[in-house]
Amino acid sequence: MSELYRFPLKQCIGKPSVAVVKCGDSVKRGELIAAQPEDGLGANIFSSVSGKVESVNEEEIGILPDEKQSADFVKLKKRKPLELIKEAGLVGLGGAGFPTYAKFSKPFEKEGTVVINAAECEPILSHNIERIEKHPEQLLRGLEIAMEVSGAKDGVIAIKEYHTEAINALKKILGNYKNMRIVPLMDMYPMGEERAIIREVFGEVLPVTALPLEANAIVINAETACRIQEAIDLKKPLIDKDMTVGGKIKGNLQDKLIQIFMDVPLGTPVETMFERAGGVNPDCGELIMGGPFTGKRTTMQDVVVKTTGGLIAAECFPKGPEKIGLLVCACGANKERMQQLAESLGSKVVGVECCKQAKEVKGSLKCENPGRCPGQVQKVMALKKAGAQAVLIGNCTDCSNTVMSCAPKMGLPVYHCTDGALRAVNHKIVRAIKK
């Protein structure tokens, strides 16, 4: 192992972590290298490899790994479950990375519910489901711990109904655990959004400013629950990450288009992961970290962090129209990402509209009722009036369907923010829903 492993000091919501090592230090796998700031929200960071600290600056820590690596790790020192969750540096592993200890810092005053988000919301990404299929007991044990820590009476696994193998694996052992049930979800995007899950589990649509706690619930990602199990039962810090790697892989063999990698050491270079998958075709359009809807453009020089769920080598960009309009959805790519995609299409943006249900909350958009679209005709007409020759959308499944019911009738071709990623793995692109 000769490549440098780099650990950004900001990998979650909150303040950057504070380095506790210096250049020249020798560190072991699982050793603390950056501590949660004392005066704010954040999370500890541990080295995922044994090696020598090569660099420390305000942005990151670089570690050159030893030639030989062991799966062993330095164990956590705390004893109580909540303390271990905090010490381990656990954050939400399926989204923005909210520190997990903060979600459990105040136990339920009344009977509450912990909900596991096992929706595997983004297309292509499939590592969460694979872990559930292979280790269902780890997920349920993680849920059991989460229920004990939060004082919850009930536990729910919310999972898309078509994941029958994972559901059956859970059902076989569900009777070994108390007060847990499975709630099947429709196969629509964004069924994994927190408020969409609350709606499907409890039949309650929360306001855009509300947290699941207002429904007397805590929602955590499936992998987060599994890593909770490791922190409590194995005293293991968060040093590894499951992920999906796919797209324009060399050889273009069907079995190489999407690959799952379990327990990838944090700090691993993006280039290393693509090489492990077979290497990227030189004609790919862009590299994406995350999923097709909400992922961001990345580079070979970037590294795997706590929130990395996927790496996708997308299809090359087609030639777009001269003028294009953007329809931004709270559930998909944001305005900046859409502008980036329009530029890659070679198109000038002549108008920007937001889905009528998208409301701004603390600088970002939130959908009033995720996945339930009231119609987009007015927005598409506004883009047509602005001079758009086509529309680029980032909408959910239902919104995309409504756009397709009107845009073509106005003579406007439709592009979607997920097109390049989905085409790269031969998935059906997001357009009209065929009944």
Side-chain angles (χ1 to χ4, degrees):
M1 300 179 73
S2 59
E3 67 265 25
L4 189 70
Y5 279 61
R6 301 185 350 258
F7 301 85
L9 294 176
K10 184 168 177 55
Q11 297 191 31
C12 65
I13 289 177
K15 294 184 177 181
S17 303
V18 180
V20 296
V21 293
K22 61 183 184 301
C23 288
D25 285 351
S26 292
V27 295
K28 296 293 185 182
R29 172 171 156 85
E31 185 173 336
L32 182 70
I33 57 174
Q36 175 192 335
E38 294 182 359
D39 59 345
L41 198 65
N44 291 333
I45 297 174
F46 299 81
S47 178
S48 62
V49 294
S50 297
K52 181 181 178 181
V53 178
E54 288 287 301
S55 61
V56 179
N57 57 44
E58 294 181 354
E59 302 294 328
E60 64 180 25
I61 296 169
I63 297 177
L64 187 65
D66 296 334
E67 193 64 33
K68 293 183 179 181
Q69 293 289 319
S70 170
D72 294 338
F73 53 85
V74 178
K75 293 190 175 184
L76 300 170
K77 298 178 174 61
K78 301 293 185 181
R79 292 180 178 273
K80 296 180 179 180
L82 183 58
E83 292 176 347
L84 283 165
I85 289 171
K86 184 176 183 178
E87 184 187 5
L90 285 166
V91 302
L93 301 177
F98 190 81
T100 305
Y101 74 88
K103 285 192 175 184
F104 294 102
S105 59
K106 293 183 179 180
F108 289 113
E109 294 181 1
K110 298 180 180 180
E111 296 176 349
T113 304
V114 175
V115 181
I116 300 294
N117 178 359
E120 200 83 276
C121 190
E122 292 259 19
I124 299 178
L125 305 189
S126 45
H127 51 279
N128 283 298
I129 295 302
E130 178 150 327
R131 181 170 283 273
I132 294 170
E133 291 173 352
K134 292 182 176 179
H135 305 288
E137 72 289 340
Q138 186 181 23
L139 181 80
L140 296 183
R141 171 60 179 149
L143 175 54
E144 182 178 57
I145 295 167
M147 291 168 63
E148 291 172 356
V149 171
S150 64
K153 178 185 177 183
D154 299 307
V156 168
I157 304 99
I159 183 170
K160 288 183 180 177
E161 59 188 357
Y162 80 91
H163 292 305
T164 54
E165 189 174 337
I167 291 172
N168 289 336
L170 291 167
K171 283 182 176 179
K172 285 180 181 179
I173 60 172
L174 197 61
N176 299 331
Y177 299 85
K178 295 180 180 180
N179 301 324
M180 294 185 188
R181 60 190 173 97
I182 297 170
V183 174
L185 306 172
M186 291 177 61
D187 181 23
M188 292 182 70
Y189 182 89
M191 199 52 75
E193 201 271 351
E194 270 194 346
R195 287 182 305 111
I197 284 182
I198 293 296
R199 181 189 66 215
E200 299 303 308
V201 173
F202 301 104
E204 179 179 355
V205 179
L206 293 176
V208 293
T209 55
L211 297 172
L213 279 174
E214 294 199 21
N216 211 29
I218 294 172
V219 179
I220 59 174
N221 169 261
E223 187 180 358
T224 302
C226 292
R227 302 301 178 184
I228 286 175
Q229 180 273 326
E230 292 179 343
I232 305 307
D233 294 340
L234 306 179
K235 302 295 188 291
K236 182 182 176 181
L238 180 58
I239 49 179
D240 298 320
K241 183 74 182 69
D242 296 342
M243 61 184 356
T244 307
V245 181
K248 298 279 285 183
I249 303 300
K250 287 180 180 177
N252 204 33
L253 300 176
Q254 190 64 38
D255 61 350
K256 281 191 171 184
L257 294 181
I258 300 176
Q259 299 179 56
I260 307 300
F261 294 92
M262 312 301 279
D263 295 321
V264 175
L266 295 177
T268 301
V270 166
E271 183 174 17
T272 298
M273 293 310 303
F274 276 121
E275 286 301 317
R276 285 181 62 184
V280 174
N281 276 333
D283 64 342
C284 79
E286 64 173 347
L287 303 179
I288 300 169
M289 181 177 286
F293 276 91
T294 58
K296 307 297 183 185
R297 187 170 293 178
T298 190
T299 70
M300 290 293 191
Q301 290 69 48
D302 288 327
V303 296
V304 174
V305 294
K306 295 182 180 185
T307 55
T308 302
L311 292 171
I312 304 169
E315 185 60 79
C316 58
F317 288 96
K319 173 62 178 172
E322 179 185 353
K323 300 176 181 179
I324 202 165
L326 307 183
L327 181 53
V328 182
C329 178
C331 304
N334 61 20
K335 178 182 176 180
E336 290 71 28
R337 171 68 173 148
M338 298 281 277
Q339 290 172 326
Q340 183 184 59
L341 292 171
E343 182 179 355
S344 295
L345 289 169
S347 302
K348 178 183 178 181
V349 175
V350 295
V352 179
E353 297 289 333
C354 290
C355 169
K356 64 172 64 177
Q357 289 196 140
K359 305 300 178 184
E360 187 169 331
V361 179
K362 296 181 179 180
S364 62
L365 295 178
K366 293 285 187 181
C367 181
E368 288 182 318
N369 195 2
R372 305 284 178 86
C373 183
Q376 302 291 352
V377 175
Q378 290 180 332
K379 301 294 185 176
V380 175
M381 287 180 64
L383 293 174
K384 172 86 171 177
K385 187 175 181 181
Q389 299 164 325
V391 291
L392 171 60
I393 66 177
N395 303 74
C396 70
T397 307
D398 198 29
C399 282
S400 298
N401 201 46
T402 58
V403 171
M404 289 304 299
S405 71
C406 62
K409 295 178 181 178
M410 299 181 202
L412 297 177
V414 177
Y415 297 76
H416 199 284
C417 72
T418 64
D419 285 351
L422 297 181
R423 285 195 171 107
V425 297
N426 295 335
H427 274 209
K428 182 180 178 182
I429 58 175
V430 178
R431 291 297 187 274
I433 301 172
K434 300 294 184 182
K435 296 292 185 181

